[in-house]
């Protein structure tokens, strides 16, 4: 019975965090766009010039590969974050458990949700997972 009495976020709070998630989502998408553009910029001049620049690129391939991998790591991390935000957006609308720790059931303080609105863990449980 006690479980059922768990009081979720108020409609006002949900609206607030919904907007927060949307804002973070937009920022992340912008960053993803920029990073994707920097991928594409790696071959200036486009396909037409690839043949004439081939030797040059081969000499440089070590650094290039490293840079690319680094960029890709950043990119995929941002991408994962975006997925979390999308999922949180769905939860903030539909899930009565939004804002509660999935481990211990504690209400996650608003200050924490303010920082990481997509979190599903309170600080205590999160530190245990790490
Ligand atoms: Zn917890």
């Amino acid at each position: 019975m006690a479980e059922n009495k768990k009081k979720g976020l108020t409609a006002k709070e949900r609206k607030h965090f919904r907007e927060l998630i949307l804002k973070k989502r937009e920022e992340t998408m912008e960053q993803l766009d920029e990073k994707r553009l920097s991928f594409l910029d790696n071959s200036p001049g486009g396909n037409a010039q690839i043949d004439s620049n081939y030797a040059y690129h081969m000499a440089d391939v070590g650094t290039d590969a490293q840079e690319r991998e680094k960029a890709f790591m950043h990119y995929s991390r941002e991408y994962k974050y975006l997925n979390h935000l999308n999922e949180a957006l769905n939860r903030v609308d539909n899930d009565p458990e939004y804002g509660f720790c999935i481990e211990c059931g504690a209400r996650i303080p608003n200050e924490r949700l303010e920082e990481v609105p997509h979190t599903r863990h309170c600080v205590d449980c999160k530190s245990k997972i790490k």
Side-chain angles (χ1 to χ4, degrees), residues 48-101:
Q49 297 220 340
I50 280 181
D51 281 343
S52 55
N53 281 332
Y54 190 68
Y56 167 76
H57 275 299
M58 285 311 283
D60 223 24
V61 81
T63 6
D64 249 28
Q66 265 184 2
E67 286 298 309
R68 259 165 211 263
E69 197 178 316
K70 229 160 67 183
F72 181 73
M73 295 263 285
H74 280 292
Y75 189 83
S76 58
R77 205 161 45 206
E78 291 284 317
Y79 192 78
K80 258 189 218 163
Y81 181 53
L82 184 66
N83 279 338
H84 283 308
L85 289 174
N86 281 334
E87 185 245 11
L89 191 63
N90 184 46
R91 281 192 293 124
V92 81
D93 282 338
N94 304 310
D95 189 355
E97 300 280 290
Y98 175 82
F100 288 92
C101 176

